[in-house]
Amino acid sequence: MPALLKSFAPKSSGDLARIGVIVALAALILFGALRYDNFLSPFNILSFLRYNSMFALIALGMAFVIMTGGIDLSVGAVAALASVVAALLSPHSWYAGLAGGVGAGLAVGLVNGVVITRLRIQPFIATLAAMLAASGTALLLANNQSVSVSYDSGFTVIGQDDFLGFPIPAWIALAAYILGWLFLERSAAGRHVLAIGDGEQTAALMGLKVERTLIGVYAVCGLLAGLAGVILASQFGAGQPTEGVGWELFAIASVVVGGTLLTGGSGSVGATLAGALLLGMVFNVLNFENGLGWISLSAYWQSVIRGLFLLVVVVLQARLTSRSAT
C-alpha cells in the first residue's frame, strides 16, 4: 500500500494534475463531513464503497486502454451482459456465476483486441460495435427483463457481504488496483503499454510486441467490466440487461480527472481510483443535499451538476499543468 500511494508523487508537470484530484477529493470529503451529520457514518462509508466498487473496476480497465491511446465504449454494455450471464448461471453455484460473468467480459475484450489489431479497425468504431452487440445479446438472453439470481448458491455473498468489516466488492476493487499498480510500475509489460501510447510505430521499431500487448489490454478491460457486472448482479439480486448505460462515460471521466491523457503515453493507477471516488462522492453529496429538504434536485439536475463539477476539475488541472510547464 505505501508503494501504491507513492504513485501520486509528482515526477513531472503532468503529475501535478493527478495531485489535483486528490486535493479535490479531500476537499469534498471535508465539505461533506462538516455539512452533513451522518456523512462519515459507517453505514454511508460502507454503502459508498460497496456501490462504487463497480465503477472503480471499469475505470481501471479503461485507464490501461487510454494509456495505449485507445478507447473502449463497450464496458457498460459488457457489464450488463456479464450481469445477465452471471444471474443465469448462479443457480448452479456461486463460482459458476462468477466465472460466467467474468468469462463473458473477457470474451468481448478479446474480440475487441483482435478486431482492433488484426483487422486494423479504429478502437472507437470497434468498441462501439461491441457495445451494440453486447447490449443486444444481454437483452436476448434476459428476454428483455431482469434475471433473478439464486439466493441458495451463495452467489449474493459476492456483492452483499462483508469481510473484516468492509464490503467484499471493495476488497475486490482494492486487490485489482494493487495488481494494476504492480503491473504498470513494476513490470516490463506496463512500460510497454505506455510506450505504445507514445507511438505504436516507434514501439514496434523498438521490438515491442504491440499487437499482443493491445489484445491483452482490451482483454483485461473486458474482464474487469465483466467482474463489475458480476458484482452488479450479486449486489442487486438480478442481472440487469438495461443497466450500464453511461458507465463508459463515467470510466472515461474518472481516467481523465485522474490526469491520464486521452492521447496515451502516461497515466496513474492510483489517480484513476481517486478520480472514480471523486465522481462517486459528488453523487453522494448531492443525495445528502436532497435529504436536507432545503432543495430538491432531480436526477437530471444531479447529472448537470456532476458534469459541471467534472468540467471545473479538468479546467483547474489544465491550468495547474500549464503553469508548472512555463
Side-chain angles (χ1 to χ4, degrees):
M1 283 299 295
L4 176 63
L5 295 176
K6 287 181 181 178
S7 65
F8 292 120
K11 301 173 184 177
S12 65
S13 59
D15 289 335
L16 292 175
R18 296 164 194 159
I19 295 177
V21 69
I22 307 300
V23 175
L25 178 60
L28 193 58
I29 292 174
L30 179 61
F31 170 81
L34 295 176
R35 181 167 175 79
Y36 312 115
D37 291 337
N38 298 316
F39 188 77
L40 294 182
S41 67
F43 176 80
N44 185 55
I45 293 174
L46 296 181
S47 298
F48 174 83
L49 293 176
R50 189 185 309 278
Y51 179 70
N52 284 280
S53 61
M54 297 180 292
F55 303 111
L57 286 171
I58 62 171
L60 177 60
M62 186 69 75
F64 285 113
V65 168
I66 291 179
M67 287 177 199
T68 66
I71 199 76
D72 190 345
L73 300 179
S74 68
V75 291
V78 169
L81 172 61
S83 75
V84 172
V85 173
L88 290 173
L89 294 176
S90 63
H92 298 285
S93 64
W94 68 267
Y95 49 84
L98 174 62
V102 171
L106 177 61
V108 177
L110 284 171
V111 171
N112 281 337
V114 170
V115 169
I116 291 168
T117 57
R118 301 295 170 81
L119 301 183
R120 301 297 179 184
I121 304 298
Q122 290 295 321
F124 182 91
I125 301 300
T127 58
L128 178 61
M131 177 185 73
L132 298 174
S135 179
T137 303
L139 290 170
L140 287 172
L141 291 176
N143 196 24
N144 198 23
Q145 59 186 355
S146 297
V147 180
S148 297
V149 305
S150 171
Y151 284 84
D152 298 326
S153 63
F155 178 73
T156 54
V157 170
I158 300 173
Q160 298 180 14
D161 280 22
D162 298 339
F163 176 70
L164 297 179
F166 280 87
I168 290 177
W171 285 113
I172 294 173
L174 177 61
Y177 271 84
I178 292 175
L179 292 174
W181 180 85
L182 290 173
F183 170 80
L184 185 64
E185 302 290 342
R186 291 290 185 268
S187 72
R191 292 189 289 274
H192 294 173
V193 168
L194 298 177
I196 292 171
D198 279 330
E200 285 190 29
Q201 293 184 347
T202 303
L205 292 174
M206 294 170 57
L208 303 183
K209 299 184 183 299
V210 175
E211 287 191 1
R212 189 172 70 179
T213 301
L214 287 176
I215 291 174
V217 165
Y218 281 93
V220 169
C221 187
L223 184 150
L224 291 172
L227 184 54
V230 171
I231 294 174
L232 171 67
S234 177
Q235 191 171 135
F236 293 96
Q240 307 284 348
T242 58
E243 192 61 51
V245 177
W247 283 24
E248 65 281 350
L249 300 180
F250 185 99
I252 294 170
S254 299
V255 175
V256 172
V257 167
T260 298
L261 300 177
L262 286 173
T263 53
S266 67
S268 167
V269 168
T272 297
L273 175 58
L277 293 177
L278 175 63
L279 296 183
M281 189 66 66
V282 173
F283 183 75
N284 193 236
V285 166
L286 291 175
N287 283 337
F288 268 90
E289 192 65 34
N290 269 348
L292 290 179
W294 297 347
I295 60 175
S296 179
L297 294 174
S298 68
Y300 309 113
W301 275 111
Q302 289 188 32
S303 295
V304 171
I305 293 175
R306 292 174 74 183
L308 291 175
F309 182 84
L310 171 62
L311 178 62
V312 170
V313 172
V314 172
V315 169
L316 290 176
Q317 287 181 332
R319 293 284 182 87
L320 181 62
T321 302
S322 61
R323 286 183 181 181
S324 64
T326 56

